[in-house]
Amino acid sequence: MRVEKNKKGCLVIDDNENILACLDFKLQPITENCKSKVYAFECLSTVKIQSDITVDNEVFFCSHSTSIIKDICLQQIGHFKSVYYDNVPLISYNMPISCLLDKYFVGKLLSNAKMPIALEITEFDIEVNQVSKLLTISENISRLQGKGMKLWFDDFYYNCSKHLFWLGLINWDVVKMDKSYIHTYYDSCHLSHFLKQLANENTDVVLEGIESQYIYDLIKNHNVKLQGYYISYPKMQSELDEFHSY
C-alpha cells in the first residue's frame, strides 16, 4: 500500500494498484478569542471511497496503520507548502504519539523545519510503562521542538489519568479540549483554574466545539483559542480568503 499526491490531496493505493481512498486536504481556522484573528489552521481531510462515497475521517484514520498515517502527513505538509509557497501559516497535522518513535519519519519532519508546523497528537497508543519507547519519543520531541516545531495535545480530558500522565511528560505548546467539554462539562471556574495552571507552562488552550453564538458568548472572555463550525467549517485553502490576515 502506498500514498500518492494528487491535485487536491492524495490517493491511497493498494498493492494491486486499486485506489482505496481519495483524500482532499482542507483547513479549519483556529482563532484568537476575538474570533477574527487567525492563530493557526488544522489540516483535515474529506475521505472518499468507491466512486465518491464519503466516509468518516476518524474512522478512516483509525483503520489504517501508522505507516500510512505518516505518509499522508508528509503529503499534507508538502501539499500546503506548494499552495502557499513561502508564506505558509501555522498548520497542525494529526497523528498518534507512536509515529514519533520513528526516527526516519522525524527526520523527514525536520527537513521541513523552516515551515511553521504543529504536530497534533490525537491518540496515546504507547503504554505508560514502556520506558524505552517513552524515552525515544521524548528525545525525538526535543529534536522537533528544538527546530521550532510545535506539539499539540488533542482532545484533552481533565479527568483521565492517562491524559494527565502525558500532560506532565511533554512540554506542550497547545492543549486542545474536546468539544464535549464545552457542551457537557463546562464550568467557568474550573476552566479559569486550568488556564492559570497552563499559563505557568506557557501553554495555550484551544476550545473545540464553538458551534453557536451562545457557546461563543460563554467563553469569549476567557484567554483561549477558538475552533468550531461557528468560526468556520473546514474548507479548501482557496476558500479561506477571509482568514488569510494572519
Side-chain angles (χ1 to χ4, degrees), residues 1-4 11-21 64-65 67-68 71:
M1 191 178 297
R2 70 182 193 277
V3 178
E4 289 189 0
L11 303 173
V12 179
I13 301 171
D14 69 14
D15 294 337
N16 295 317
E17 299 301 310
N18 299 307
I19 297 176
L20 297 180
H64 284 80
S65 67
S67 63
I68 292 297
D71 287 345

Side-chain angles (χ1 to χ4, degrees), residues 176-240:
K176 296 181 73 176
M177 301 187 77
D178 184 69
K179 66 180 182 180
S180 64
Y181 176 78
I182 196 69
H183 289 274
T184 308
Y185 306 109
Y186 174 73
D187 179 286
S188 180
C189 292
H190 172 267
L191 180 58
S192 295
H193 179 68
F194 184 65
L195 292 173
K196 287 179 182 178
Q197 287 181 310
L198 292 185
N200 294 329
E201 306 296 329
N202 294 316
T203 302
D204 286 323
V205 172
V206 173
L207 283 186
E208 300 181 278
I210 311 303
E211 296 175 357
S212 67
Q213 179 73 48
Y214 171 74
I215 293 174
Y216 172 71
D217 288 340
L218 273 181
I219 52 81
K220 66 181 180 181
N221 293 322
H222 291 288
N223 185 25
V224 293
K225 317 298 183 189
L226 310 175
Q227 184 175 4
Y229 296 155
Y230 180 67
I231 307 300
S232 174
Y233 283 82
K235 296 180 180 180
M236 304 295 289
Q237 176 265 347
S238 59
E239 301 173 317
L240 287 166

Side-chain angles (χ1 to χ4, degrees), residues 17-234:
E17 299 301 310
N18 299 307
I19 297 176
L20 297 180
C22 176
L23 280 68
D24 290 347
F25 300 151
K26 297 186 176 181
L27 297 175
Q28 187 173 34
I30 300 166
T31 66
E32 305 286 355
N33 59 2
C34 64
K35 196 170 76 78
S36 60
K37 182 180 178 183
V38 171
Y39 171 72
F41 296 92
E42 179 181 359
C43 177
L44 299 167
S45 300
T46 297
V47 183
K48 294 182 180 180
I49 61 172
Q50 300 176 0
S51 301
D52 289 344
I53 298 174
T54 301
V55 299
D56 183 84
N57 188 305
E58 291 187 15
V59 171
F60 173 82
F61 282 98
C62 287
S63 64
H64 284 80
S65 67
T66 56
S67 63
I68 292 297
I69 293 173
K70 288 182 284 190
D71 287 345
I72 291 173
C73 176
L74 294 173
Q75 289 289 344
Q76 290 171 332
I77 292 172
H79 175 82
F80 289 110
K81 182 177 182 179
S82 67
V83 298
Y84 278 108
Y85 302 104
D86 295 327
N87 195 26
V88 185
L90 176 60
I91 299 174
S92 70
Y93 302 92
N94 295 287
M95 66 189 66
I97 194 70
S98 60
C99 287
L100 299 184
L101 279 170
D102 182 349
K103 293 187 177 180
Y104 175 78
F105 174 63
V106 170
K108 288 284 191 178
L109 292 173
L110 289 169
S111 70
N112 291 285
K114 292 183 179 180
M115 295 172 56
I117 290 173
L119 307 178
E120 188 165 332
I121 306 303
T122 57
E123 182 183 357
F124 295 93
D125 52 346
I126 301 296
E127 296 301 322
V128 299
N129 61 353
Q130 295 179 297
V131 178
S132 62
K133 290 184 178 180
L134 295 178
L135 288 172
T136 298
I137 287 171
S138 295
E139 290 170 2
N140 286 334
I141 286 175
S142 293
R143 293 173 62 202
L144 292 163
Q145 289 183 317
K147 292 295 185 179
M149 292 194 182
K150 309 296 183 184
L151 264 290
W152 290 12
F153 192 134
D154 189 32
D155 291 346
F156 175 76
Y157 180 54
Y158 66 93
N159 206 24
C160 173
S161 59
K162 176 181 273 192
H163 283 194
L164 292 172
F165 171 83
W166 283 98
L167 182 67
L169 184 69
I170 294 171
N171 181 26
W172 299 97
D173 297 286
V174 165
V175 170
K176 296 181 73 176
M177 301 187 77
D178 184 69
K179 66 180 182 180
S180 64
Y181 176 78
I182 196 69
H183 289 274
T184 308
Y185 306 109
Y186 174 73
D187 179 286
S188 180
C189 292
H190 172 267
L191 180 58
S192 295
H193 179 68
F194 184 65
L195 292 173
K196 287 179 182 178
Q197 287 181 310
L198 292 185
N200 294 329
E201 306 296 329
N202 294 316
T203 302
D204 286 323
V205 172
V206 173
L207 283 186
E208 300 181 278
I210 311 303
E211 296 175 357
S212 67
Q213 179 73 48
Y214 171 74
I215 293 174
Y216 172 71
D217 288 340
L218 273 181
I219 52 81
K220 66 181 180 181
N221 293 322
H222 291 288
N223 185 25
V224 293
K225 317 298 183 189
L226 310 175
Q227 184 175 4
Y229 296 155
Y230 180 67
I231 307 300
S232 174
Y233 283 82

